[in-house]
Amino acid sequence: MISPKFLGRLGFALLLAFQPTLAARYPSFGTIQTTNSSGVLNAVINNTASSTNLLDYRVQADLANLVETLQANDTDIRVVVFSKSPLPFFDPGFPDMSFPPALLWNISQIPQATIATVEGRARGIGNEFLMSCDMRFLTTSPSVLFSQLENSFGAIPGCGGAMYLSNLIGRGCTLEYVLSSTDIDAVTAEKYGWINRAFDTSAAMKEYVHILARRIALFPLAGINGTKFGVNAVSRPSKEDIVQKAQNVISVLALPATQAYVARFFEATKIRALGSWS
Ligand SMILES: *[C@@H]1O[C@H](CO)[C@@H](O)[C@H](O)[C@H]1NC(C)=O
Ligand SMILES: *[C@@H]1O[C@H](CO)[C@@H](O)[C@H](O)[C@H]1NC(C)=O
Ligand SMILES: *[C@@H]1O[C@H](CO)[C@@H](O)[C@H](O)[C@H]1NC(C)=O
Ligand SMILES: *[C@@H]1O[C@H](CO)[C@@H](O)[C@H](O)[C@H]1NC(C)=O
Ligand SMILES: *[C@@H]1O[C@H](CO)[C@@H](O)[C@H](O)[C@H]1NC(C)=O
């Protein structure tokens, strides 16, 4: 008779065998499930350690490992589609001030086209992640809301969020939403250009993104990468600006008043410190 203990071990071994082979510079937490076919890699972010699917250090480590694989000129993959589990997506997070901007910068310049689909919330670094992707598609469900909310606790978007946003929606709308830390819904976001398009149903969104990704993946990577390179040059904040901004973020965070707000923010949102693997 096969003991339950053996079956448990077998399950674990099978799980390991089906883990995608990602470069593992950082520890792997299994928060991103990937599948790929016809040049399209589907990456589902499913952080079951967090009740809000937070983009915490676990997701960041898994993303950094995935990005490292994609940086290595993997010519099989031409499009990356990021999507979410049905849990609220990326609720307010508080980014560590050095790793996240570097990770999102790397995501913005991998050779592959990146498409994000969202059916929940994306605030703070969650929204910055969306903007570091090349395209954003949402559903009009009332649970879809996103924002740069850092001003509400006296801080500043840490990964260039306000700078990315001003390229997408202009100075006036950026200041309206970032200074007030207000949520935007999918329909308004589509009107402003924050996102590419909002769909009434999840099925319609997935079908559209599937067709779009498959079409882009028909074409050679060199053209995709070259086009991104040019678009990045004129529409993305410079690395120097993001680094400079990170310095501002650190000095603002050091203010006692900001620290008091941040403590209240963590308490109110029940987000524990994001931790670190070092
Ligand atoms: C894509 O799938 C192939 C075959 O299943 C696998 O060998 C490869 O590692 C995958 N690529 C990525 C980037 O996950
Ligand atoms: C990817 O290709 C570029 C140019 O062909 C090269 O400079 C770079 O080192 C390559 N990256 C890796 C990780 O192989
Ligand atoms: C997320 O992971 C949990 C636990 O493995 C699983 O039950 C759930 O179906 C996953 N959700 C998605 C959308 O993959
Ligand atoms: C970003 O990519 C560079 C290589 O271009 C690498 O040295 C760096 O560690 C990466 N950063 C993160 C946070 O993944
Ligand atoms: C992407 O384009 C940049 C700029 O032309 C180039 O340096 C890099 O090697 C290209 N990478 C790939 C994989 O084509």
Side-chain angles (χ1 to χ4, degrees):
M1 204 183 123
I2 303 172
S3 76
K5 205 168 169 186
F6 173 77
L7 277 180
R9 282 210 201 102
L10 183 68
F12 185 60
L14 285 176
L15 209 71
L16 283 180
F18 286 112
Q19 282 286 321
T21 47
L22 301 179
R25 180 203 290 241
Y26 303 104
S28 174
F29 296 95
T31 62
I32 303 177
Q33 283 102 45
T34 61
T35 52
N36 74 73
S37 76
S38 308
V40 179
L41 179 87
N42 285 289
V44 179
I45 299 169
N46 184 12
N47 181 3
T48 50
S50 151
S51 63
T52 56
N53 204 5
L54 185 71
L55 205 160
D56 64 4
Y57 70 96
R58 300 177 191 87
V59 177
Q60 287 179 34
D62 289 339
L63 271 176
N65 287 333
L66 175 60
V67 166
E68 193 169 37
T69 307
L70 295 167
Q71 284 173 332
N73 299 342
D74 176 350
T75 47
D76 279 354
I77 304 296
R78 292 178 293 286
V79 183
V80 184
V81 180
F82 287 105
S83 54
K84 56 167 287 292
S85 79
L87 290 167
F89 191 48
F90 302 159
D91 248 14
F94 194 65
D96 145 359
M97 285 303 131
S98 50
F99 193 85
L103 171 62
L104 297 191
W105 175 263
N106 282 355
I107 289 173
S108 74
Q109 62 183 358
I110 52 178
Q112 298 81 4
T114 51
I115 304 175
T117 65
V118 183
E119 297 175 71
R121 287 157 176 66
R123 298 189 176 115
I125 190 174
N127 183 58
E128 287 172 318
F129 168 73
L130 296 185
M131 292 190 298
S132 69
C133 291
D134 302 331
M135 294 160 246
R136 289 156 290 284
F137 296 94
L138 279 74
T139 62
T140 55
S141 148
S143 66
V144 173
L145 292 171
F146 37 110
S147 66
Q148 289 303 145
L149 77 176
E150 291 84 349
N151 272 222
S152 68
F153 48 86
I156 305 175
C159 299
M163 289 184 280
Y164 271 95
L165 205 50
S166 59
N167 280 322
L168 288 172
I169 68 174
R171 172 180 162 83
C173 291
T174 298
L175 292 171
E176 175 188 343
Y177 278 91
V178 178
L179 297 186
S180 67
S181 294
T182 307
D183 281 335
I184 194 165
D185 60 87
V187 173
T188 314
E190 180 189 42
K191 195 168 77 185
Y192 283 7
W194 191 321
I195 63 165
N196 286 49
R197 202 185 288 191
F199 291 86
D200 287 340
T201 65
S202 170
M205 176 182 75
K206 285 176 182 159
E207 189 193 354
Y208 183 82
V209 169
H210 177 73
I211 293 168
L212 175 68
R214 289 292 285 264
R215 180 169 169 83
I216 295 172
L218 293 174
F219 310 133
L221 186 64
I224 295 171
N225 170 62
T227 300
K228 271 187 73 162
F229 197 81
V231 171
N232 275 342
V234 297
S235 68
R236 186 185 53 176
S238 72
K239 195 170 191 181
E240 291 67 36
D241 281 345
I242 292 177
V243 169
Q244 165 74 37
K245 185 75 175 301
Q247 287 307 314
N248 295 343
V249 173
I250 291 163
S251 31
V252 169
L253 278 177
L255 301 172
T258 306
Q259 288 186 9
Y261 279 120
V262 168
R264 282 174 58 189
F265 170 78
F266 277 125
E267 204 183 302
T269 56
K270 300 193 168 44
I271 291 175
R272 288 184 296 276
L274 298 186
S276 137
W277 51 81
S278 57

